[in-house]
Amino acid sequence: MVVSFTNVGSEAGLKKLDEYLLTRSYITGYQASKDDLAVYSAFSTTPSSSYPNVASGVAADGQGVKVESTAVPAASTPDVADAKAPAADDDDDDDVDLFGEETEEEKKAAEERAAAVKASGKKKESGKSSVLLDVKPWDDETDMTKLEEAVRNVKMEGLLWGASKLVPVGYGIKKLQIMMTIVDDLVSVDSLIEDYFYTEPANEYIQSCDIVAFNKICKDDLPQVR
């Protein structure tokens, strides 16, 4: 229960407090407490000895006391929790630019990542074919060594020449049988024959060329270039 006293510094207040303490040793409880301190801090001067019961000490926590007085107000101590927190730096948000332009370093890093991804991807390899050709000379006086050189001098991406041999045809004439391996997407056999074998200087030795065999191959087993 909260005990209330009014104007304890006045004669009437002291009298009432003295009568209250006539049957009590302390304001509340059975030992001096902060309630006693609260009451005595309301005195502007030391109470007169004519009020012998107005005496006490301060020891433990009290049970609660309310003192109404205009004598000497207690000094106000600001609550640390009420202290105004420093204002946040408004400039912090300005450091984050979500829609700013890319820096040179960021552009360079993006280009390097794109190049790395491109380099790591394996280029899809097109199919290959093994082709056997019959290359025929004009007559029995045609230099077959130079004929073969004319054939092998045809070079292009996706074309590899393989083994060859001379096969008798008749009347002392021999034809050149030669293997070649091609990448299908890069080499057209018909175009090779028309554009290279039937034009100068190869047509000086080559009378005709036929495709004897045309087989798709699955593994990269290319013949050595001679």
Side-chain angles (χ1 to χ4, degrees):
M1 181 181 69
V2 177
V3 182
S4 177
F5 299 99
T6 303
N7 295 326
V8 293
S10 65
E11 291 296 325
L14 285 171
K15 182 178 180 181
K16 183 178 180 180
L17 177 60
D18 190 67
E19 291 175 353
Y20 176 80
L21 293 174
L22 180 63
T23 58
R24 298 173 177 82
S25 299
Y26 305 103
I27 300 299
T28 58
Y30 299 98
Q31 62 181 351
S33 68
K34 289 183 180 180
D35 291 344
D36 299 277
L37 179 61
V39 171
Y40 289 110
S41 66
F43 297 144
S44 58
T45 59
T46 303
S48 170
S49 58
S50 4
Y51 304 102
N53 298 317
V54 182
S56 182
V58 180
D61 293 339
Q63 299 175 5
V65 61
K66 179 179 180 182
V67 179
E68 297 179 3
S69 174
T70 57
V72 181
S76 176
T77 302
D79 192 341
V80 177
D82 294 336
K84 185 177 180 181
D89 189 353
D90 294 336
D91 295 335
D92 288 348
D93 293 338
D94 296 338
D95 295 337
V96 181
D97 187 0
L98 299 178
F99 303 98
E101 295 183 358
E102 281 186 321
T103 63
E104 290 300 324
E105 290 77 6
E106 291 172 336
K107 290 180 180 179
K108 183 177 180 181
E111 291 173 357
E112 290 176 351
R113 287 194 297 271
V117 171
K118 184 177 180 180
S120 63
K122 293 183 178 179
K123 182 178 179 181
K124 184 178 180 181
E125 187 177 6
S126 61
K128 294 184 177 67
S129 297
S130 175
V131 184
L132 177 62
L133 299 178
D134 268 356
V135 185
K136 299 173 183 177
W138 286 104
D139 51 40
D140 59 342
E141 295 182 358
T142 301
D143 189 333
M144 297 304 292
T145 300
K146 290 185 177 181
L147 183 146
E148 184 172 353
E149 288 178 356
V151 172
R152 292 186 180 276
N153 282 338
V154 177
K155 300 182 185 302
M156 62 179 65
E157 184 180 2
L159 168 64
L160 285 176
W161 294 108
S164 64
K165 65 179 180 178
L166 295 177
V167 178
V169 177
Y171 305 100
I173 301 175
K174 294 181 179 180
K175 64 181 179 180
L176 174 70
Q177 278 195 343
I178 186 168
M179 291 290 300
M180 68 176 181
T181 301
I182 62 171
V183 176
D184 297 334
D185 291 345
L186 299 178
V187 179
S188 167
V189 179
D190 291 335
S191 297
L192 183 150
I193 294 172
E194 293 291 333
D195 298 340
Y196 293 93
F197 291 176
Y198 294 167
T199 59
E200 294 181 353
N203 64 354
E204 181 179 350
Y205 307 99
I206 300 173
Q207 186 269 333
S208 64
C209 181
D210 298 315
I211 300 173
V212 179
F214 197 120
N215 299 307
K216 296 288 185 180
I217 57 179
C218 299
K219 60 181 180 179
D220 192 7
D221 187 14
L222 303 179
Q224 297 295 319
V225 178
R226 293 180 58 187

